[in-house]
Amino acid sequence: MNVSRLAAAGAVAASAVLLLSGPAFAHVSVQPGQAEKGGYATISFKVPNERDNASTNKLEVTFPTDHPLASVMPQPVPGWQVEVTKAKLTKPLKVHGKEIKEAVSKVTWTGGKIAPGQFQQFPLSVGRLPEDADQLVFKSLQTYDNKEVVRWIEEPKEGGEEPQNPAPVLKLTEPTGEGHHGGASGGKADDTSDDKATSHKDDDHQKAAASDSTDTTARVLAGVGIAVGAAGVAFGVLAGRRRSS
């Protein structure tokens, strides 16, 4: 009896822990959580449904104005319509030598449905990512079909506890390899890559030619060796016949 009571108490405690910890991880987030500075990236906003009696039918993602992104292209999501809103910039951006006077300020998805117990991802291609920032914060609004709106707008503080309704955050890391600006510059980096590719091809051709030459030489030597061996065998047979006669 005591064991049964302990087991029941443990189950209740476990359920309470799950219930209390649920909101801590079931929130709108950006995937993957990081990207390289100065480049382009494909990110997705992961939206789980946290309600048992309503479906999510709208997502609004606000883009940072202190570090605007000149290029934001959504990938179609079946069943959903997407609207990209732009705003004029107080300080124009320069991308590929052109002056950009407006940038995306908000992206909104509507018309679809995320049922209870399900989640949906909304992919975007974004860039050029800033080089003078360590993160981008995308404040988001999640709307349910019962008119409830959950505001994921609280910015997490470094070293502090996670807010109750944290905003999606994209961490920006230092570039790890050469040519990471290739997508942004479209010039020098691409030319360098082409030169390297051509050089590699030339090396491959030279290696292939050397290999062919080596194979040919080996085949000739092998043929000569076989011929010499055959001649030796024939000579030995003839010599044996002369001795016996």
Side-chain angles (χ1 to χ4, degrees), residues 12-32:
V12 172
S15 300
V17 169
L18 290 175
L19 182 63
L20 292 174
S21 62
F25 59 82
H27 56 260
V28 176
S29 60
V30 59
Q31 306 289 332

Side-chain angles (χ1 to χ4, degrees), residues 24 154-166:
E154 299 179 43
E155 297 189 29
K157 296 181 180 179
E158 187 175 357
E161 295 183 359
E162 185 179 47
Q164 184 176 358
N165 292 326

Side-chain angles (χ1 to χ4, degrees), residues 156-191:
K157 296 181 180 179
E158 187 175 357
E161 295 183 359
E162 185 179 47
Q164 184 176 358
N165 292 326
V169 175
L170 178 65
K171 299 288 185 181
L172 299 179
T173 62
E174 295 297 330
T176 56
E178 295 181 359
H180 69 282
H181 295 303
S185 64
K188 225 172 190 182
D190 293 341
D191 294 340

Side-chain angles (χ1 to χ4, degrees), residues 40-44 63 69-75 122-127:
Y40 288 77
T42 298
I43 61 176
S44 295
F63 281 67
L69 301 177
S71 175
V72 177
M73 295 185 295
Q75 178 178 324
F122 299 91
L124 293 173
S125 173
V126 298

Side-chain angles (χ1 to χ4, degrees), residues 38-88:
Y40 288 77
T42 298
I43 61 176
S44 295
F45 288 94
K46 183 178 179 181
V47 183
N49 189 327
E50 295 185 307
R51 301 294 180 262
D52 295 329
N53 58 352
S55 297
T56 296
N57 59 6
K58 183 179 181 180
L59 174 68
E60 298 174 72
V61 178
T62 301
F63 281 67
T65 56
D66 54 342
H67 292 96
L69 301 177
S71 175
V72 177
M73 295 185 295
Q75 178 178 324
V77 179
W80 293 80
Q81 291 80 48
V82 59
E83 180 182 359
V84 179
T85 304
K86 294 184 177 181
K88 291 185 177 180

Side-chain angles (χ1 to χ4, degrees), residues 109-216:
W109 288 269
T110 56
K113 178 181 179 181
I114 307 175
Q118 298 181 356
F119 75 93
Q120 179 65 56
Q121 297 209 43
F122 299 91
L124 293 173
S125 173
V126 298
R128 177 176 180 181
L129 298 175
E131 298 181 356
D132 57 348
D134 294 325
Q135 66 179 25
L136 293 177
V137 179
F138 299 94
K139 296 182 178 182
S140 306
L141 301 181
Q142 180 180 8
T143 302
Y144 290 87
D145 55 12
N146 62 358
K147 307 302 181 183
E148 179 188 4
V149 178
V150 181
R151 300 168 62 85
W152 304 102
I153 61 173
E154 299 179 43
E155 297 189 29
K157 296 181 180 179
E158 187 175 357
E161 295 183 359
E162 185 179 47
Q164 184 176 358
N165 292 326
V169 175
L170 178 65
K171 299 288 185 181
L172 299 179
T173 62
E174 295 297 330
T176 56
E178 295 181 359
H180 69 282
H181 295 303
S185 64
K188 225 172 190 182
D190 293 341
D191 294 340
T192 303
S193 298
D194 291 340
D195 292 342
K196 290 182 178 179
T198 302
S199 177
H200 286 315
K201 288 181 179 179
D202 292 341
D203 291 343
D204 291 340
H205 286 312
Q206 292 175 1
K207 290 179 180 178
S211 177
D212 291 341
S213 177
T214 302
D215 291 343
T216 301

